[in-house]
Amino acid sequence: MLQDILSGIPLGIFLSFMIGPVFFVLLETSAVKGFRAALVFDFGVVTADIVFISLAYFSSYRLILRIKNDPAIYIFGGILMLSYGLVSYLKTKKARKNFNEKEILEITKNNYTSLFIKGFLLNFINVGVLLFWFLVLLTFGPKLELETSRMLIFFTAVIGTYLLVDIGKIVLAKQLKSKMTPMNILKIKKLISVLLIVFGLVLMFQGWFPSENKLAKKVLEKID
């Protein structure tokens, strides 16, 4: 049991520092909206990961490959992320142009249900995350003898470590909250919107020009 937990900890740390849309939005949410809002957002992200782990565990290899190699999935996910980034960018640009305090307050207002859904969808629309969890299953499954109890302990250790490290990031980012003047908030929101647009375009590019991505597998081999 202890060995399975120790095997999951490095992977959880690695996951928490993977640079992607979730990484930046989590830090932005903490700095702008506070600890509780960022934690709810992170719970949405983790829920999507749990769904992906379940899909990887219960689905066949052929099904995963079919999803992974379907360019429409990447294009659709990219369009969703790109659209969200564009809407957020235009909304922020409008608030900055008019410098309307009411609109800025609306942007920073906490709606925990929306934050949870936002975290879930931002992670869920990236089909690469499903492939990543399937590679984790292929890499570590045989070493865990495909025993349900051992795999449950391993993935719990991974997700638990991921959450703990994220809480540390949230606490550090929250220290910036005192410096979050209305103008600074708009600048951060604009930067995050641009990053989401870029990530959306990258995801669509993967659909238009599909290629075998062996990076995740190499990383898993290094962790192993």
Side-chain angles (χ1 to χ4, degrees):
M1 179 178 175
L2 181 60
Q3 184 180 352
D4 296 337
I5 293 172
L6 292 175
S7 297
I9 290 174
L11 186 59
I13 295 172
F14 165 74
L15 270 176
S16 187
F17 286 101
M18 282 183 70
I19 303 300
V22 168
F23 179 90
F24 292 107
V25 175
L26 177 69
L27 297 182
E28 177 242 349
T29 303
S30 179
V32 175
K33 298 188 176 184
F35 178 86
R36 193 174 298 176
L39 193 59
V40 171
F41 170 83
D42 210 24
F43 281 148
V45 173
V46 168
T47 302
D49 279 322
I50 292 171
V51 171
F52 275 143
I53 291 169
S54 301
L55 284 172
Y57 182 75
F58 291 109
S59 299
S60 68
Y61 177 72
R62 188 173 298 176
L63 175 62
I64 298 293
L65 278 184
R66 187 159 63 241
I67 293 173
K68 175 236 173 188
N69 291 324
D70 187 353
I73 300 293
Y74 286 93
I75 294 171
F76 180 69
I79 288 172
L80 287 178
M81 195 175 293
L82 176 65
S83 301
Y84 181 84
L86 282 172
V87 170
S88 179
Y89 179 85
L90 293 173
K91 189 175 180 180
T92 304
K93 188 176 181 181
K94 180 183 176 183
R96 186 174 183 180
K97 183 179 179 181
N98 301 330
F99 204 74
N100 189 320
E101 291 283 346
K102 186 177 179 181
E103 287 189 26
I104 296 172
L105 287 173
E106 186 67 26
I107 288 174
T108 58
K109 186 172 67 175
N110 288 342
N111 183 323
Y112 294 121
T113 302
S114 296
L115 283 167
F116 180 87
I117 294 172
K118 178 181 176 182
F120 180 88
L121 291 179
L122 204 57
N123 200 23
F124 193 77
I125 60 177
N126 189 353
V127 71
V129 178
L130 174 59
L131 176 61
F132 176 83
W133 284 118
F134 189 76
L135 287 173
V136 170
L137 196 65
L138 283 179
T139 304
F140 291 94
K143 296 176 182 180
L144 299 170
E145 299 174 346
L146 295 176
E147 290 184 14
T148 303
S149 59
R150 292 188 64 187
M151 294 180 74
L152 184 62
I153 290 170
F154 170 77
F155 282 111
T156 300
V158 173
I159 296 298
T161 303
Y162 174 83
L163 268 175
L164 284 174
V165 177
D166 267 7
I167 288 172
K169 292 189 320 194
I170 290 169
V171 170
L172 288 174
K174 185 178 179 292
Q175 306 308 311
L176 299 173
K177 192 171 175 63
S178 59
K179 299 181 180 180
M180 288 297 104
T181 62
M183 187 56 73
N184 284 340
I185 289 172
L186 290 178
K187 287 178 180 177
I188 291 174
K189 294 289 291 183
K190 189 175 181 180
L191 175 63
I192 296 299
S193 299
V194 171
L195 287 172
L196 288 175
I197 291 170
V198 171
F199 283 120
L201 289 171
V202 169
L203 204 57
M204 292 170 66
F205 186 83
Q206 286 181 301
W208 288 327
F209 304 98
S211 61
E212 293 297 324
N213 186 359
K214 299 180 180 177
L215 179 61
K217 194 168 183 179
K218 289 180 180 178
V219 170
L220 288 175
E221 289 171 352
K222 287 181 180 179
I223 293 174
D224 184 36

